[in-house]
């Protein structure tokens, strides 16, 4: 696909926002009462990084980026 730079940046920003929502949800679901909050934050951060990497790799593989 021959997309302009602005559209590609917009797609990456959308992927980052979606990955942030996924990371927040994963951190929230992994938190247990009485446990340390930093463990849930680390889990959410790892999920954010993994989902952002996966989204960008998929967009690159199909030729969008």
């Amino acid at each position: 696909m021959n997309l302009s730079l602005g559209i590609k940046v917009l797609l990456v920003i959308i992927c980052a926002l979606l990955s942030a929502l996924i990371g927040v949800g994963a951190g929230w679901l992994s938190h247990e009462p009485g446990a340390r909050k930093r463990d849930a934050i680390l889990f959410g951060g790892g999920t954010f990084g993994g989902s952002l990497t996966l989204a960008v790799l998929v967009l690159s593989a199909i030729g969008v980026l």
Side-chain angles (χ1 to χ4, degrees):
M1 298 179 104
N2 231 354
L3 299 175
S4 67
L5 180 63
I7 299 297
K8 291 179 182 180
V9 169
L10 184 64
L11 286 172
V12 171
I13 290 172
I14 289 171
C15 287
L17 288 174
L18 184 63
S19 296
L21 287 174
I22 292 170
V24 167
W28 182 62
L29 288 174
S30 72
H31 179 67
E32 298 174 1
R36 298 182 306 197
K37 289 182 177 64
R38 63 180 162 205
D39 294 335
I41 292 171
L42 284 174
F43 188 80
T47 306
F48 165 75
S51 62
L52 181 62
T53 302
L54 182 65
V56 170
L57 284 175
V58 167
L59 286 177
S60 296
I62 61 175
V64 173
L65 295 181

